[in-house]
Amino acid sequence: MKVRSSIFASLCLILEVLGIALFLRGFFPVPIKSSFSSKSKLSDLPAEPFTGSSPNSSKLPDPLFKRVVIMLIDALREDFVFGSNGRNDMPYTRHLVERGSTHSFVAKARAPTVTMPRIKALTTGSIPGFIDVVMNLNSPALLEDNLIWQAKAAGKRMVFYGDDTWIKLFPKHFMEYDGTTSFFVSDYTEVDNNVTRHLDSTLRRDDWDILILHFLGLDHIGHISGPHSSLIQPKLLEMDDILKKIHGSLILKEAEGTLPYLLVLCGDHGMSETGSHGGSSEHEVNTPLVLISPAFKRKAGMEKPSTVEQVDLAPTLALGLGLPISQNSVGRLIQPVAEEASLRDQLRFLHVNGHQLGCLLKDSTPAYEKEVGYEQFRVAEKSHGNWLKLMVEGNTSEVLTNMGKKVLKQYLEALRAMSAALSKQLGRYDMYSMVVGMVLVFQLLLLLLLAMPEALSSASLVDLPVSSALLSLPFYLLCLLLSSVHVLVCTSAESSCYFCSLSWGLVFGVVALSSALLCILVAMGARRLSLGSMSSGKSPARGGGGWSLSELDILLLVGTAGHTLSLAASSFVEEEHQVWYFLLNTLCLAVFQDVCRKYFRERRANAGQVGSLEDEDQDEMASPLADLGVTDMGSERWLALVTPLFTLVCCRLLRSFNQTGVQWAHLPDLGHWLNSSEHKVVLSVVTTMSLILIYFLVQRRCSWVSKIALALGLLGVFSYRAAVGNVMFPWQHGSRNLSKGTVEARFVYVFVLGILFTGSKDLLRSQVITTDARLKSRGLWEIYSGVVLLVSLLFRAHNLPVLCCCLLVQTLMAQFIWKKLHYDAAQTTIMHYWFGQAFFYFQGNSNSIATVDISVGFVGLETYVESLAVFLTALSTYAGPLLWAAHLVCYLSSENRSSVAVGHGCYCLALLRSVPMAAYVVLVTALRYHLFIWSVFSPKLMYESMHTLLTAAICLFFTTMEQSRSSSRL
């Protein structure tokens, strides 16, 4: 069966997306959970390890605290409290830390540092999986054992105000609550006012036991303007005043002879130097934890805070309130909290904590008895029993006290070791689903490689032996074998597998697909071997009798392969932008050499070729300089010589706009300089010039209606930036009240939709009603210009020059390099792919979730709309690859190019995505037990999967265009 290259590549990419989805379902681990579905109960607690005549106590000691207030400030960094500016930013809190009855710690949060997983960690004591990053958008009810459920079951009356994620996680748990949407980051005042408006009345009442306050304003300011914004200090002072009010109210209500209160100040995560969060930089994972209670000794001065794990708060609060520890908790008691209790109570707390960790270790580790922590716990438990026996017998000597302290240290060491062992496991991977997805991805990659000679031939057709494979005996034998393996795995697996939970129809479809692909691979491999030299495979741009690789071809192949190999190192993943910057600079130099050779050395050797090139027909990718009168061949030749050098200078300049990666992301860059308040005039001028140049570059091939709409839309972009305070209007002399820019942004959206509608109408007419290639080209370009207008609205003001340089490089390369030097579709596609990858990092992105700018998801919105927010955020994040892929569609679909070029481009895109993805699924499978993949390889895998999905959509568009063109020609 012969199919076009574009159709073949599109099918391969669609199937690859399915394989990647199955792999991701198995790779993102389910957090460590006990196999017992019931919740922990006080009746299930172990008895004290005492073997004397008296009955052992199976109860917890009396609670340490009567009332608990948890003040959680979203994105509160450790240095905001403990840093050098803490005395100015949060003076009352800093005074309590230095002189009050407090215990201060630096609580380390585990990646991913986003809100919902952090709330789960604080309430369950478990380490959430990376899949919770996606679940963060729409949090389901939390069903596993947690502190909030235990408190409700014990009759504790709870009140909550703040982030509505708590309400989604714990529905019907609070006797009173008021939630605020956490995703509308443009609002950093009302989200906190909605909490504080209830505070006075709540603090006057005595009908609650636990009060939880989750403030969001600081996090929103960070997303909008970063941790060094002028808005940060006022917000911290506001939070400090609220803490002072709560503390004062608790002091007034404290009654003599009753249990003391506990006030907890903490953050769910920190904030990176760019104001976001999600990865694993120190500023993101280090959060302050300040415990305030009259039960603690008063401080004599500032002490360096010790470090604890964020998950340690859950068992500490549970034991402090007299509740059982959640079954899935990997945290350990923060011992200083209970140091004022009797030694027997302290040992009892640690024994209960150790028993819970031991049960979880038994349930998750087959060889749990060999774990160092478990052995230490058994030794400590035995020593604890001996100490209790002596104490009950009335021994009160100093030896007994020293022995008890020794047992205390043994327990602490055992808890530390068991908690570390459980944390390293992170979760149970669904290896069966991962293997099935990995096999599908590899089969498709091999299929693409075997089909390369035919796919890139002049016919652009791939001969797939589908019928012979489906009708062969090995196909049915493979289906039977793989079905038997599936039954065997699913009936013998100790843990549930996602692939086993699917219906038999879906499973058999995957089995049949894998068997068919294997038979097709064997048939194509045998055919390749029989052909020997593969004489039918010819370069699409060369009419010769075989493959011939130029120096540029070798660079493109070696560079792409080298980038794939670099993904095996975590440092290269964290700093991947350096790889693409190096490859892009090398490409510019190679193109410059090609220009010199073809325009000068070869032209002097054969002067007749000059005339032939000068007389070639001009297509719709006309030079933007033609409007200025630069049409002679000599000028274009020199412009072709300057283009790669100019591109090289542009790339070097763009690197200065946004520091990215991990190691050097904190360094100042041109973006920080432009965004500073004293340089607002410079930013305004740069923004104006960028918008004018964007209009000049984009409007050339649009209709006059789209040109007007584009001009008005870009004016609306500038008005939006002025409304939110990024730039200044020329006539603006004094300060003006800033708005959210909602009206201005919606004004731009109207013109974006109008341009997209006009382009889609022209494109549809060219495919259905008429075969006018120029109408089709205009429709494509209008759609492209609509996307550019939308991206210019979403980009930060300092990133508009990045967008401008992107369009300028596209225009110059298309006119003076790709067309004039007659690069074939494969070479052009790979270059577009390289440029798209580099511009992904030029705009400030990295392989860390922390660089995702979620604030763009709320441009023009007054309320949180999930679908629109996700779409706008994804569009802004992948603007670089998307714009270069869209330009590739316009370029390869020009009127004088055959559908062969479109097929070659689609095939090359599929191959460029399949090679790194196949290598990457093997890599993350091999490194699945290493802790650092959570913060490095897991985000990268999510980015690559999204990029593959984007490429599949582009190839589908390619295929649609090619099929429509073929139908119109017939």
Side-chain angles (χ1 to χ4, degrees), residues 22 430 432-433 436 486 490 497-502 507 510-511:
L22 185 59
D430 184 357
Y432 184 40
S433 300
V436 174
H486 175 75
C490 294
C497 299
Y498 172 74
F499 195 58
C500 295
S501 64
L502 297 177
V507 171
V510 176
V511 168

Side-chain angles (χ1 to χ4, degrees), residues 69-109:
V69 178
I70 300 176
M71 182 176 175
L72 193 156
I73 303 177
D74 210 295
L76 183 65
R77 278 180 17 171
E78 167 258 341
D79 58 331
F80 287 164
V81 177
F82 304 136
S84 57
N85 292 328
R87 290 186 178 89
N88 298 323
D89 296 340
M90 303 188 75
Y92 186 78
T93 304
R94 186 61 175 265
H95 171 73
L96 291 177
V97 169
E98 295 178 356
R99 301 287 180 178
S101 301
T102 62
H103 286 300
S104 302
F105 307 94
V106 175
K108 297 188 74 70

Side-chain angles (χ1 to χ4, degrees), residues 4 6-7 10 14 763-764 766-768 776 780 889 893 899 902-903 906 952-968:
R4 294 184 178 273
S6 58
I7 299 176
S10 299
I14 293 173
L763 188 60
L764 188 62
S766 68
Q767 302 297 322
V768 178
K776 171 188 171 183
L780 284 173
V889 173
S893 299
S899 60
V902 177
C906 186
I954 295 296
C955 282
L956 280 175
F957 187 78
F958 261 133
T959 305
T960 304
M961 297 297 299
E962 182 184 358
Q963 288 298 101
S964 300
R965 177 184 303 200
S966 301
S967 301
S968 63

Side-chain angles (χ1 to χ4, degrees), residues 351-406:
H351 177 246
V352 171
N353 195 181
H355 180 268
Q356 177 266 323
L357 290 176
C359 291
L360 188 58
L361 195 63
K362 288 180 185 179
D363 205 34
S364 60
T365 307
Y368 67 92
E369 294 179 346
K370 297 181 181 179
E371 289 287 342
V372 176
Y374 189 79
E375 294 177 355
Q376 291 176 336
F377 175 70
R378 304 308 291 178
V379 172
E381 192 175 36
K382 185 176 181 180
S383 300
H384 186 190
N386 295 332
W387 180 86
L388 275 173
K389 183 177 181 180
L390 293 174
M391 190 199 71
V392 171
E393 291 175 352
N395 193 329
T396 58
S397 65
E398 186 178 351
V399 175
L400 183 65
T401 303
N402 293 333
M403 181 180 175
K405 293 180 179 179
K406 182 179 178 181

Side-chain angles (χ1 to χ4, degrees), residues 388-622:
L388 275 173
K389 183 177 181 180
L390 293 174
M391 190 199 71
V392 171
E393 291 175 352
N395 193 329
T396 58
S397 65
E398 186 178 351
V399 175
L400 183 65
T401 303
N402 293 333
M403 181 180 175
K405 293 180 179 179
K406 182 179 178 181
V407 176
L408 187 71
K409 291 182 180 179
Q410 288 178 332
Y411 268 134
L412 291 175
E413 288 296 326
L415 294 182
R416 184 180 297 107
M418 285 193 292
S419 178
L422 289 167
S423 299
K424 286 181 180 178
Q425 295 183 35
L426 286 181
R428 298 187 180 101
Y429 292 84
D430 184 357
M431 285 302 301
Y432 184 40
S433 300
M434 290 174 64
V435 169
V436 174
M438 184 170 56
V439 168
L440 287 176
V441 171
F442 256 91
Q443 286 180 325
L444 293 166
L445 173 61
L446 293 175
L447 189 62
L448 285 167
L449 292 175
L450 287 175
M452 182 186 295
E454 294 178 352
L456 295 181
S457 66
S458 57
S460 189
L461 294 174
V462 178
D463 187 7
L464 295 176
V466 176
S467 57
S468 59
L470 295 180
L471 298 177
S472 63
L473 180 61
F475 169 72
Y476 299 103
L477 293 177
L478 280 172
C479 288
L480 181 62
L481 176 63
L482 294 179
S483 299
S484 302
V485 171
H486 175 75
V487 173
L488 181 64
V489 172
C490 294
T491 54
S492 62
E494 296 181 359
S495 59
S496 60
C497 299
Y498 172 74
F499 195 58
C500 295
S501 64
L502 297 177
S503 64
W504 263 103
L506 293 175
V507 171
F508 185 77
V510 176
V511 168
L513 174 63
S514 181
S515 303
L517 288 175
L518 186 57
C519 292
I520 292 173
L521 285 173
V522 173
M524 292 184 68
R527 188 171 63 196
R528 289 287 171 266
L529 292 175
S530 64
L531 290 176
S533 60
M534 294 181 291
S535 58
S536 62
K538 300 178 183 179
S539 174
R542 306 165 183 85
W547 286 87
S548 60
L549 296 178
S550 65
E551 295 174 359
L552 183 62
D553 293 329
I554 295 174
L555 171 63
L556 295 174
L557 293 175
V558 172
T560 303
H563 165 257
T564 302
L565 294 176
S566 72
L567 297 179
S570 60
S571 297
F572 278 100
V573 175
E574 291 175 341
E575 309 297 329
E576 187 183 0
H577 60 286
Q578 302 288 2
V579 177
W580 287 114
Y581 294 167
F582 171 78
L583 291 178
L584 202 60
N585 292 340
T586 308
L587 176 63
C588 292
L589 294 177
V591 171
F592 178 73
Q593 180 190 10
D594 236 7
V595 172
C596 292
R597 181 188 297 117
K598 293 190 177 184
Y599 269 98
F600 293 93
R601 190 180 68 183
E602 293 181 2
R603 307 248 171 186
R604 290 174 182 174
N606 188 4
Q609 294 181 3
V610 176
S612 63
L613 185 60
E614 290 178 349
D615 296 335
E616 70 179 0
D617 295 332
Q618 300 292 323
D619 58 14
E620 82 279 353
M621 301 292 289

